[in-house]
Amino acid sequence: MVLSRVLCFRMKDASLKVLYVHENQLLAGGLHAGKVIKGEEISVVPNRSLDTRLSPVILGIQGGSQCLSCGTGKEPTLKLEPVNIMELYLSAEESRSFTFYRRDTGLTSSFESAAYPGWFICTVPEADQPLRLTKLPEYVGWDAPITDFYFQPCD
């Protein structure tokens, strides 16, 4: 089956910070200028070129006009790139730098980079900080990166 449009989700990290866009960065927080933020609609499509058993997904914002990428450097850097999500979906290329393996862990999911195995999308405990990538820490304290997200369909 081929999708005709993107799937829509909202994401919150495990500490319930919502994802939102500010100055072309995807941040995690809860209040902005004293108002509660509803959170960005996250466009999602599967990556049909990679093993479907690993749940490879491409994540976008603004209706899929920008996609999350890990870059192509020696070290991964999470950033938004002006690439149409449906073009990536319909392409025969693997698009690993735009793909994350979704791993469900009960009520939450984590997202591991397909291009950089062992690196996961994360937030930090402080509010209004950009999403980034991290290797899973050996120690999990109060200041550890948060790699678990609630991933819920848009209403």
Side-chain angles (χ1 to χ4, degrees):
M1 181 177 112
V2 176
L3 295 176
S4 59
R5 61 184 177 84
V6 299
L7 303 172
C8 179
F9 289 85
R10 292 196 191 274
M11 291 173 67
K12 294 179 186 174
D13 71 9
S15 67
L16 303 180
K17 293 189 302 289
V18 298
L19 305 188
Y20 68 96
V21 176
H22 181 70
E23 295 180 1
N24 204 38
Q25 280 195 310
L26 198 53
L27 307 177
L31 293 174
H32 192 66
K35 295 184 178 181
V36 175
I37 301 168
K38 185 173 184 178
E40 187 71 24
E41 290 185 355
I42 306 296
S43 302
V44 179
V45 295
N47 183 324
R48 301 180 308 151
S49 299
L50 298 175
D51 187 347
T52 57
R53 293 173 295 178
L54 299 174
S55 298
V57 294
I58 300 170
L59 305 171
I61 61 163
Q62 298 174 341
S65 63
Q66 295 189 67
C67 293
L68 273 179
S69 166
C70 295
T72 56
K74 194 172 185 176
E75 289 277 312
T77 304
L78 193 65
K79 59 187 170 187
L80 290 169
E81 292 196 32
V83 176
N84 185 291
I85 197 169
M86 288 306 287
E87 287 177 16
L88 292 173
Y89 171 70
L90 295 170
S91 171
E93 294 181 30
E94 288 185 338
S95 304
R96 284 184 184 271
S97 65
F98 292 99
T99 304
F100 299 89
Y101 295 121
R102 179 181 169 187
R103 301 227 162 89
D104 292 331
T105 52
L107 297 175
T108 60
S109 299
S110 63
F111 297 88
E112 181 181 14
S113 168
Y116 297 90
W119 288 84
F120 290 80
I121 294 176
C122 73
T123 62
V124 294
E126 300 85 35
D128 306 314
Q129 297 299 310
L131 260 68
R132 51 191 77 166
L133 291 164
T134 189
K135 285 195 173 232
L136 288 182
E138 291 179 19
Y139 123 92
V140 180
W142 64 270
D143 59 345
I146 301 165
T147 59
D148 292 324
F149 294 87
Y150 294 99
F151 196 63
Q152 301 162 323
C154 295
D155 23 88

